[in-house]
């Protein structure tokens, strides 16, 4: 059973009324980019913990989580109320299989498609050397409802500058029309080919792998479309083309 480690908030960022990031100083845990840990607080005499993916790469000593306030949720609102210097808890072990270790060796094009805070594990991966050494092309599709929730644009901009010709970022803002962003859901652009035309790369079972993270309906709709195109879910005993992690 995982043990709890004491942590302290060293930085906080409020992206909007509902979306926040916390940077946490703690002695551990070690993890692989894409994994999640449990974060906890002592509330009314009980330790309440929930899983949160890490945004930081493994080589950084401080840990960062990106989350939204869940209405009537037991923890997210309390986390959002924390300030620099406040204490909280982290588990000493990380979990999850949405990692680059799971991507088949023959993959040349890596597609990372996220909704909301599901972009977190992908940002962790993209701050490591592995994707840039392994793949010819990396595409990040990131969908939110409101423009203010399109977080980490500074980090994404640095990735674009550092990896020209190899990395493409495609924003989706479904709540309003924004220049340069799709105003529809990710699965729609997979179904009609708009995403492929936008980046100039075809989804090809022989060379493509897709990692989907975020809202369960996005994942279900995207997987259905991709399966119609000859792709299948990835399993260790049966390698495929689609890896998923549902947030809700």
């Amino acid at each position: 059973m995982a043990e709890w480690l004491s942590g302290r908030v060293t930085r906080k960022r409020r992206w909007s009324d509902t979306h926040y990031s916390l940077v946490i100083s703690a002695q551990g845990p070690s993890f692989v980019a894409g994994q999640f840990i449990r974060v906890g607080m002592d509330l009314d005499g009980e330790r309440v913990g929930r899983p949160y993916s890490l945004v930081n790469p493994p080589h950084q000593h401080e840990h960062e989580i990106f989350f939204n306030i869940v209405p009537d949720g037991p923890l997210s609102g309390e986390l959002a109320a924390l300030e620099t210097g406040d204490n909280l808890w982290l588990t000493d072990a990380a979990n999850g299989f949405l990692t680059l270790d799971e991507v088949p060796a023959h993959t040349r094009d890596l597609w990372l498609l996220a909704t909301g805070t599901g972009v977190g594990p992908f940002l962790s991966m993209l701050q490591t050397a592995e994707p840039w050494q392994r793949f010819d092309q990396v595409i990040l599709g990131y969908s939110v409802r409101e423009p203010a929730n399109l977080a980490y644009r500074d980090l994404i901009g640095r990735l674009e500058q550092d990896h020209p010709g190899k990395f493409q970022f495609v924003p989706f803002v479904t709540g309003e029309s924004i220049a340069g962003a799709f105003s529809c859901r990710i699965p729609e652009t997979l179904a009609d080919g708009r995403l492929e035309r936008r980046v100039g790369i075809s989804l090809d079972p022989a060379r493509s792998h897709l990692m989907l993270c975020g809202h369960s309906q996005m994942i279900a709709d995207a997987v259905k479309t991709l399966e119609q195109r000859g792709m299948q879910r990835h399993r260790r005993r049966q390698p495929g083309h689609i890896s998923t992690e549902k947030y809700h």
Side-chain angles (χ1 to χ4, degrees), residues 153-185:
R153 286 294 288 115
D154 51 347
L155 170 57
I156 294 170
R158 290 198 301 270
L159 293 169
E160 290 177 305
Q161 292 179 353
D162 291 345
H163 306 284
K166 199 173 188 109
F167 175 61
Q168 296 192 61
F169 169 59
V170 183
F172 293 72
V173 180
T174 60
E176 60 182 272
S177 180
I178 299 294
F182 282 120
S183 58
C184 59
R185 298 173 62 241

Side-chain angles (χ1 to χ4, degrees), residues 19 116 143-150 172-176 178:
H19 286 63
S143 178
V144 297
R145 183 179 297 276
E146 305 296 335
N149 295 334
L150 200 64
F172 293 72
V173 180
T174 60
E176 60 182 272
I178 299 294

Side-chain angles (χ1 to χ4, degrees), residues 76-93:
S76 57
E78 300 291 340
L79 288 174
L82 293 175
E83 299 293 345
T84 300
D86 288 340
N87 296 318
L88 71 174
W89 300 95
L90 310 176
T91 50
D92 66 350

Side-chain angles (χ1 to χ4, degrees), residues 137-229:
Q137 294 289 328
V138 179
I139 300 96
L140 173 64
Y142 176 16
S143 178
V144 297
R145 183 179 297 276
E146 305 296 335
N149 295 334
L150 200 64
Y152 295 98
R153 286 294 288 115
D154 51 347
L155 170 57
I156 294 170
R158 290 198 301 270
L159 293 169
E160 290 177 305
Q161 292 179 353
D162 291 345
H163 306 284
K166 199 173 188 109
F167 175 61
Q168 296 192 61
F169 169 59
V170 183
F172 293 72
V173 180
T174 60
E176 60 182 272
S177 180
I178 299 294
F182 282 120
S183 58
C184 59
R185 298 173 62 241
I186 288 173
E188 294 177 40
T189 66
L190 294 173
D192 62 18
R194 274 181 291 168
L195 181 54
E196 292 164 90
R197 291 193 294 272
R198 167 78 172 261
V199 300
I201 303 169
S202 297
L203 283 167
D204 180 353
R207 58 179 290 129
S208 301
H209 192 90
L210 298 98
M211 305 183 88
L212 312 176
C213 187
H215 197 281
S216 58
Q217 194 60 56
M218 181 278 284
I219 292 174
D221 293 344
V223 168
K224 181 178 179 180
T225 294
L226 295 169
E227 287 177 340
Q228 292 171 348
R229 300 185 57 173

